[in-house]
């Protein structure tokens, strides 16, 4: 077996995105012995991926990165938490080996992922999530000169289009499934959020000249060995656009699997928390997108409250309640504006794959009446993604909900599941510097 280590913390944070960074910093600045674990090899999560150290000092991300560097935090990057063998203990796997992480209080900031909806051709190469394509470009994928159709719903579409354009991509069209009536109401309501107006105006300037179509969505992707064109439903008519990539995402889904495994109560896929961001399990806090999709500002505030609460600084956490409520109002506006329209349930044909891992078609799933039944008879959700793609899709299509979450939360090596040999000497590490 590879290396095995055991570490102990007053506060352990799972997830190094904005919410996790804020929680870890606030807990460490309060004097707690803090660890932060994330499966990426650098902090920042999806939203700040690869950009923390390169931003100017005036940006929000760099301010938090500066605070992160100036406190004592044990960073466990490249480690993926997959199991809780007993309360107060998590197991995390890395390339190097296995870590046993013991904690007094835990902050879960596991972020979110994109929701994919099946339509003919959605499994073709170069059809990918909008945020996923952006992440690949941030990691070095050449996009200059490529034609990219951006489609789906939510503000992420504009941010992705802006980023891809700055890196040389040609954007022939942005397709937003929400109707103009909802978008106009959303724009008028932004007068209560001046900061959001500024962000929106900058994005609008960045994508100036790119055609934008509301009430539009992809109905089919076509190509021999890879994507060559996408057919769009636009103003009730179908239009075919030649392209190299389709960046497609129908909003976000909370990563609530680990909280559910730990016994935290969820509702409609989101983790339930009290005013101090504590879940229904004592000593386990949750912040950011797992509690409901709300954007980076809400994630940062929730992370601060969770970190302070986990470090027993409740009075300091309470000062942030009003700011949190302000961003929660914005989150509710987004939910109302970008809720998925019923027409999207009719995109899949009988032979369209819904579960890509196990090659389960839409027609096969129609034969069943529950997630459990479909799983038992078709293996839907039993592939390597463990239902993270097909689960939200079937929830939208059939109103199915997963019955339970079982370890390992992510695929893990057999030796990691077995654990260390009984006679192996286990080195004990207790915190450290970032």
């Amino acid at each position: 077996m590879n290396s095995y280590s055991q570490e102990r913390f007053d506060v352990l944070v799972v997830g190094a995105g904005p919410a996790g960074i804020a929680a870890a910093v606030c807990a460490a600045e309060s004097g707690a012995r803090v660890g932060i674990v994330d499966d990426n090899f650098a902090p920042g999560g999806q939203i700040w991926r690869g950009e923390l150290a390169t931003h100017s000092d005036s940006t929000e991300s760099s301010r938090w990165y500066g605070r992160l560097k100036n406190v004592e935090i044990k960073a466990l990057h490249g480690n993926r938490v997959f199991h809780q063998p007993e309360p107060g203990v998590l197991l995390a796997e890395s390339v190097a080996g296995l870590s046993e992480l013991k904690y007094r209080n835990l902050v879960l900031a596991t972020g979110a992922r994109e929701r994919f909806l099946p339509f003919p051709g959605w499994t073709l190469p170069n059809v990918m999530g909008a945020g996923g394509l952006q992440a690949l470009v941030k990691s070095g994928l050449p996009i200059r000169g490529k034609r990219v159709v951006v489609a789906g719903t939510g503000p992420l579409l504009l941010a992705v289009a802006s980023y891809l354009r700055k890196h040389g991509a040609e954007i022939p069209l942005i397709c937003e499934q929400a109707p103009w009536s909802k978008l106009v109401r959303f724009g008028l309501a932004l007068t209560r959020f001046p900061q959001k107006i500024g962000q929106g105006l900058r994005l609008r300037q960045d994508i100036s000249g790119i055609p934008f179509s509301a009430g539009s969505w992809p109905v089919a992707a076509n190509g021999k060995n890879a994507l060559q064109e996408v057919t769009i439903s636009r103003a009730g008519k179908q239009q075919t656009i030649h392209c190299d990539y389709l960046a497609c995402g129908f909003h976000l889904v909370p990563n609530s699997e680990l909280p559910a495994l730990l016994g935290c109560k969820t509702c409609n896929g989101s983790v339930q928390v009290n005013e101090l961001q504590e879940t229904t399990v004592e000593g386990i806090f949750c912040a950011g997108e797992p509690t409901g999709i709300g954007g980076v500002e809400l994630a940062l505030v929730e992370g601060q409250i969770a970190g302070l609460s986990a470090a027993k600084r409740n009075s300091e956490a309470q000062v942030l309640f009003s700011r949190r409520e302000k961003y929660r109002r914005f989150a509710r506006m987004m939910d109302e504006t970008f809720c998925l329209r019923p027409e999207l349930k009719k995109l899949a044909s009988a032979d369209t794959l819904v579960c890509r891992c196990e090659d389960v078609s839409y027609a096969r799933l129609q034969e069943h009446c529950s997630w459990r039944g479909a799983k038992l008879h078709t293996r839907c959700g039993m592939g390597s993604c463990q239902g993270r793609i097909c689960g939200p899709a079937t929830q939208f299509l059939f109103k199915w909900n997963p019955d339970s979450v079982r370890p390992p939360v992510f695929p893990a090596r057999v030796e990691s599941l077995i654990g260390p040999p009984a006679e192996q000497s286990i080195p004990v590490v207790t915190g450290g510097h970032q």
Side-chain angles (χ1 to χ4, degrees), residues 265-287:
K265 188 175 181 180
T266 63
C267 181
N268 296 323
S270 297
V271 181
Q272 293 188 332
V273 294
N274 64 15
E275 61 180 9
L276 292 172
Q277 298 296 139
E278 189 171 21
T279 70
T280 53
V281 178
E282 184 178 359
I284 299 182
F285 301 80
C286 192

Side-chain angles (χ1 to χ4, degrees), residues 257 357 371 381-390 406 408-411:
E257 289 80 10
C357 298
W371 173 256
M382 297 181 70
S384 59
C385 86
Q386 291 291 283
R388 284 174 173 80
I389 303 298
C390 58
R406 298 180 181 180
V409 179
F410 293 100

Side-chain angles (χ1 to χ4, degrees), residues 282-301:
E282 184 178 359
I284 299 182
F285 301 80
C286 192
E289 310 293 37
T291 67
I293 307 302
V296 65
E297 291 89 355
L298 178 58
L300 285 169
V301 176

Side-chain angles (χ1 to χ4, degrees), residues 236-358:
K237 299 180 180 180
Q238 292 194 358
Q239 174 185 357
T240 298
I241 302 173
H242 294 279
C243 57
D244 301 294
Y245 289 94
L246 171 60
C248 189
F250 292 92
H251 211 23
L252 300 174
V253 180
N255 288 328
S256 57
E257 289 80 10
L258 180 58
L261 176 69
L262 303 184
C264 306
K265 188 175 181 180
T266 63
C267 181
N268 296 323
S270 297
V271 181
Q272 293 188 332
V273 294
N274 64 15
E275 61 180 9
L276 292 172
Q277 298 296 139
E278 189 171 21
T279 70
T280 53
V281 178
E282 184 178 359
I284 299 182
F285 301 80
C286 192
E289 310 293 37
T291 67
I293 307 302
V296 65
E297 291 89 355
L298 178 58
L300 285 169
V301 176
E302 289 189 352
Q304 293 175 73
I305 294 173
L308 291 168
S309 302
K312 308 303 181 185
R313 298 294 185 94
N314 293 2
S315 59
E316 295 176 42
Q318 291 169 358
V319 175
L320 299 169
F321 285 1
S322 59
R323 191 188 310 174
R324 179 182 60 190
E325 180 54 34
K326 172 185 175 182
Y327 291 123
R328 281 181 172 175
R329 289 197 299 270
F330 178 76
R332 290 192 287 270
M333 282 173 44
M334 283 207 306
D335 285 342
E336 181 180 346
T337 302
F338 300 107
C339 62
L340 300 182
R341 58 198 306 148
E343 293 96 322
L344 300 177
K345 295 183 178 182
K346 301 176 183 179
L347 295 182
S349 60
D351 59 351
T352 299
L353 294 182
V354 176
C355 176
R356 300 185 300 186
C357 298
E358 297 295 328

Side-chain angles (χ1 to χ4, degrees), residues 3-236:
S3 66
Y4 185 94
S5 64
Q6 186 182 77
E7 310 194 28
R8 295 185 176 91
F9 302 103
D10 297 326
V11 177
L12 176 63
V13 180
V14 179
I21 290 173
V25 166
C26 288
E29 290 177 345
S30 301
R33 187 168 61 249
V34 179
I36 186 167
V37 57
D38 192 278
D39 57 357
N40 291 305
F41 289 94
Q46 298 304 316
I47 190 68
W48 288 342
R49 176 191 289 264
E51 299 180 5
L52 283 179
T54 60
H55 279 165
S56 65
D57 292 339
S58 62
T59 63
E60 189 76 7
S61 58
S62 284
R63 284 194 288 269
W64 280 104
Y65 185 57
R67 291 175 67 177
L68 182 66
K69 291 193 296 183
N70 291 326
V71 291
E72 288 194 9
I73 294 176
K74 175 66 176 182
L76 298 163
H77 297 304
N79 281 264
R80 174 173 282 180
V81 174
F82 66 90
H83 185 31
Q84 176 191 237
E86 59 182 280
V89 180
L90 294 179
L91 294 182
E93 183 184 80
S94 69
V95 174
L98 184 67
S99 294
E100 183 180 81
L101 310 176
K102 296 186 176 182
Y103 60 86
R104 292 181 182 176
N105 289 312
L106 177 67
V107 178
L108 300 173
T110 47
R113 61 187 182 273
E114 292 180 273
R115 177 190 279 114
F116 298 90
L117 297 181
F119 54 86
W122 78 290
T123 58
L124 274 173
N126 293 348
V127 178
M128 57 186 66
L133 179 57
Q134 182 183 34
L136 286 175
V137 174
K138 287 182 178 182
S139 300
L141 177 72
I143 201 71
R144 184 168 299 278
K146 302 295 185 180
R147 287 173 57 86
V148 184
V149 173
V150 180
T153 197
L156 178 64
L157 301 184
L158 305 185
V160 168
S162 170
Y163 184 87
L164 297 178
R165 184 191 225 186
K166 288 178 181 177
H167 286 74
E170 178 186 347
I171 314 294
L173 185 64
I174 300 173
C175 299
E176 166 59 62
Q177 63 90 37
W180 274 117
S181 57
K182 286 190 174 184
L183 296 179
V184 170
R185 286 198 299 270
F186 181 73
L188 294 174
L190 286 181
T191 55
R192 290 174 285 172
F193 303 91
Q195 182 182 6
K196 294 293 184 181
I197 291 179
Q199 293 174 359
L201 290 175
R202 287 191 294 273
L203 269 180
R204 185 60 190 165
Q205 183 178 5
D206 291 342
I207 64 173
S208 176
I210 298 177
F212 178 91
S213 180
S216 302
W217 55 88
V219 295
N222 302 296
K224 293 183 179 179
N225 299 315
L227 176 70
Q228 294 176 311
E229 60 184 28
V230 58
T231 301
I232 300 294
S233 175
R234 188 177 185 186

